[in-house]
Amino acid sequence: MNEQEYPVYLSDVPKGAHTYGTLSYNRRSKCWTIKGEPCVTELAKRLFPGCDGRGRGVARFTAHRRIIGDLNWLMLRYPLEIKESDRARWAEALKDAREYAIRRERSLTSPASVTPPDDEFRGDLMPFQKLGVGFLLSSRRCLLADEMGLGKTVQALAFLATLRAYPALIVVPPHLVRNWVRECERFLKPDGSLRVHVIRGLKPYDLPEADVYIVHYLLLRGWKTALPDYHFGCVIFDEIQELRHSGTEKYSAASLLSDTSENVVGLSGTPIYNKGSEIWNVVNILDFHCLGDWESFTRAWCDGYGNHLVRDPALLGDHLRREGLILRRTKQEVLTELPPKRRLVQEIDADDRVYRELMRPVIELLGSLRALHPEAKERAMLEEQVGRGERQATGVAKAPFVAAFVRALLDNGEKVLLFAHHHAVMDVYKKELASYRPAFITGRETTQQKDDAVTRFMGEKTNLCVISLRAASGLNLQRASCVVFGELDWSPAVHSQAEDRAHRMGQKDSILCYYLVAPQGSDRDMQDALGLKVSQFVALMGDKTPALSGVQDAQQAAKAHIEKMLKQYDAAQTNDRV
């Protein structure tokens, strides 16, 4: 390796100088430990997020290729004596850190365009997709966050084929298992020798020999200790936003899997739903402690210790891109032939009588909520019930009018995706729009029924598909010409994902996205919250940030709406007494 190619901070530490302590490797905790003079250990703990060590004269660094660079930089100023039994390990770690630094710099200044080998991959990649494969190869542990519809799946498979990193494990949401089987068979090993095994059940068994194993997230907890023993050459986490919450068995199992593989890729067009800090959970799976530990991350990047709101999302996004942790391209950047989405907010009528009737139990809950102390443990649960009840009342009251709006679109030859949240609302759609023989993907269907629904819509058996807002990830329904939101969600990322079921690569029509808003209920406040919330997601992903007065996360918006309902309740009670 040419010494001039890697950064100066990764140079060899001079020999013969005074040493300020010792450096040793702890195999159990997988960290490098400094035991030395306080001037070194205290400086390390102050300078480097995630560096810890209880007591005076001890500092620990996670054995991470980026952190190795920090540690080597520190040793250039304060040389340490490396324990003899750990010198070979340190030399290897430093070599890996240098190679990664060189790849990262080259990917930023001269990104590589990679075409996978013909004997391993079948298919033609677009120029931006070849650059995506080059990025994945330069990092090996990263997040491909391209906007939906740009072919993240095919880029990940091209990466796998180029590395020949078999056996590979692909972790997917339950409803996407069959889709991944089809895509693997379509693109990998053109000679037909590909072996794919879908893991079934929570109870581990001896896996048969295969090139690609596919497991869905709900099974990870059962296979938590078994899968890491296979040391997969590559692990791909599709829709990695499934891991945006830590502290679960699913998250723990994913972390163990990542730890045993050299190549780990996450795929998601919307890795963040509500909180900017969720990105820490996501990238921590991909590259452990690359942003330090949770405490140091929130202290450095958020509004304070334990806070979930990232103070400067754009700055964090820039850091992630410079470090080779994330790549995101938008349709506007790479697909000039794809027409832009057009969003139209349209007010529609609602049945006041139905709304008042459904709101009666909600108003009773508001009375119970008002009687609770602000710090009461039951308050959060009661607030959730109030919010859920009002959203359902809003959705059911306007559902017949939503159906009438959709009927007009269908009668004009449009192909429609209709999104809602509550089953009671979708039941109204089913009754009102029965003559159009709609397909349904609501969360109540089996995997086969979901596949049949997609096939019916894409096969022109029906021009209407009714979908749950939270069941939209991974669906490919680009035949649609219109997207209609019969109900709203507090999170803009949910809406963006739903829109992109139709607005995908290959789509030739201009997509109209209708947001149908009722005059009463939760719609108005949700519409306002959607506009505010976008900046936390957009700025972090590197897209153009809209001019907004502030950042408000979805949970905060929902809570503010409940407080508004309480004020209205108090005003109504006062008027009744008068």
Side-chain angles (χ1 to χ4, degrees), residues 245 274-275 278 490 533 552-560:
H245 300 303
N274 295 326
K275 301 170 182 177
E278 291 171 354
W490 289 106
K533 165 64 182 63
Q552 184 176 21
D553 102 354
Q555 291 183 344
Q556 290 173 331
K559 189 173 181 64

Side-chain angles (χ1 to χ4, degrees), residues 555-576:
Q555 291 183 344
Q556 290 173 331
K559 189 173 181 64
H561 180 69
I562 298 296
E563 293 300 320
K564 182 178 179 180
M565 291 178 68
L566 284 171
K567 290 179 181 178
Q568 293 171 342
Y569 173 82
D570 290 342
Q573 294 297 308
T574 301
N575 290 336
D576 287 344

Side-chain angles (χ1 to χ4, degrees), residues 174-178 182 200 440-441 444-456:
H175 66 283
L176 295 180
V177 170
R178 291 189 181 185
R182 288 193 294 266
R200 309 284 186 187
F440 283 84
I441 304 173
R444 293 184 286 189
E445 297 82 13
T446 65
T447 300
Q448 184 62 52
Q449 288 171 329
K450 290 178 183 177
D451 288 347
D452 291 344
V454 172
T455 300
R456 285 189 60 218

Side-chain angles (χ1 to χ4, degrees), residues 9-10 64-74 94 97:
Y9 67 83
L10 287 169
H64 187 286
R65 59 189 173 187
R66 293 181 182 87
I67 295 178
I68 292 298
D70 294 338
L71 181 52
N72 196 76
W73 175 83
L74 181 68
L94 187 59

Side-chain angles (χ1 to χ4, degrees), residues 146-181:
D146 283 349
E147 200 171 23
M148 293 177 189
L150 300 189
K152 292 185 292 295
T153 297
V154 70
Q155 290 176 75
L157 292 177
F159 165 70
L160 174 59
T162 304
L163 278 180
R164 295 180 172 89
Y166 303 113
L169 178 71
I170 304 175
V171 186
V172 306
H175 66 283
L176 295 180
V177 170
R178 291 189 181 185
N179 180 68
W180 270 95
V181 171

Side-chain angles (χ1 to χ4, degrees), residues 243-518:
L243 301 174
R244 67 188 185 277
H245 300 303
S246 60
T248 64
E249 283 294 298
K250 174 174 67 175
Y251 189 90
S252 176
S255 181
L256 290 174
L257 270 174
S258 176
D259 190 46
T260 58
S261 179
E262 289 296 318
N263 305 285
V264 185
V265 172
L267 307 177
S268 177
T270 53
I272 305 159
Y273 275 103
N274 295 326
K275 301 170 182 177
S277 63
E278 291 171 354
I279 196 67
W280 183 90
N281 291 329
V282 170
V283 299
N284 205 51
I285 288 290
L286 299 173
D287 212 347
F288 182 68
H289 276 193
C290 58
L291 289 174
D293 57 22
W294 169 249
E295 289 78 10
S296 62
F297 171 78
T298 55
R299 191 168 59 245
W301 290 101
C302 300
D303 277 340
Y305 177 81
N307 191 287
H308 292 269
L309 191 65
V310 173
R311 183 173 299 172
D312 191 337
L315 183 63
L316 176 57
D318 288 342
H319 172 70
L320 293 173
R321 284 185 287 275
R322 284 195 308 270
E323 289 294 313
L325 282 164
I326 187 169
L327 176 66
R328 175 164 173 91
R329 282 81 58 86
T330 65
K331 298 182 183 75
Q332 288 73 22
E333 292 172 325
V334 299
L335 290 178
T336 55
E337 71 274 18
L338 191 66
K341 291 181 288 187
R342 290 174 286 161
R343 292 190 179 106
L344 298 175
V345 178
Q346 184 156 335
E347 184 172 313
I348 61 170
D349 291 329
D351 191 324
D352 288 333
R353 183 189 61 79
V354 171
Y355 179 76
R356 288 194 300 270
E357 184 67 25
L358 292 175
M359 282 299 291
R360 285 182 182 176
V362 178
I363 292 171
E364 292 178 5
L365 288 173
L366 276 172
S368 301
L369 184 60
R370 171 55 71 207
L372 284 176
H373 186 275
E375 301 297 324
K377 293 181 179 179
E378 303 91 340
R379 190 175 182 87
M381 182 176 67
L382 202 56
E383 285 179 347
E384 183 179 354
Q385 291 176 350
V386 168
R388 186 168 60 242
E390 192 205 26
R391 284 182 66 190
Q392 179 164 303
T394 303
V396 172
K398 69 176 181 177
F401 302 93
V402 171
F405 183 88
V406 171
R407 191 178 297 118
L409 293 175
L410 293 168
D411 290 343
N412 278 281
E414 301 289 352
K415 281 79 70 178
V416 181
L417 303 183
L418 173 57
F419 287 91
H421 179 68
H422 296 93
H423 291 312
V425 173
M426 287 180 276
D427 287 342
V428 176
Y429 297 162
K430 188 173 186 177
K431 178 181 177 182
E432 296 284 336
L433 298 167
S435 61
Y436 296 90
R437 301 179 66 246
F440 283 84
I441 304 173
T442 68
R444 293 184 286 189
E445 297 82 13
T446 65
T447 300
Q448 184 62 52
Q449 288 171 329
K450 290 178 183 177
D451 288 347
D452 291 344
V454 172
T455 300
R456 285 189 60 218
F457 184 80
M458 293 301 293
E460 302 184 9
K461 301 297 183 183
T462 179
N463 284 335
L464 174 62
C465 188
V466 182
I467 310 172
S468 170
L469 276 166
R470 296 276 175 163
S473 65
L475 295 173
N476 186 354
L477 299 164
Q478 72 268 30
R479 178 173 171 263
S481 58
C482 287
V483 173
V484 178
F485 292 101
E487 289 190 275
L488 304 183
D489 192 283
W490 289 106
S491 171
V494 169
H495 288 280
S496 178
Q497 186 178 74
E499 289 174 347
D500 285 335
R501 296 311 95 209
H503 190 235
R504 298 173 70 89
M505 189 171 64
Q507 176 68 45
K508 298 303 180 184
D509 295 331
S510 180
I511 301 299
L512 283 170
C513 300
Y514 292 98
Y515 287 72
L516 305 185
V517 179

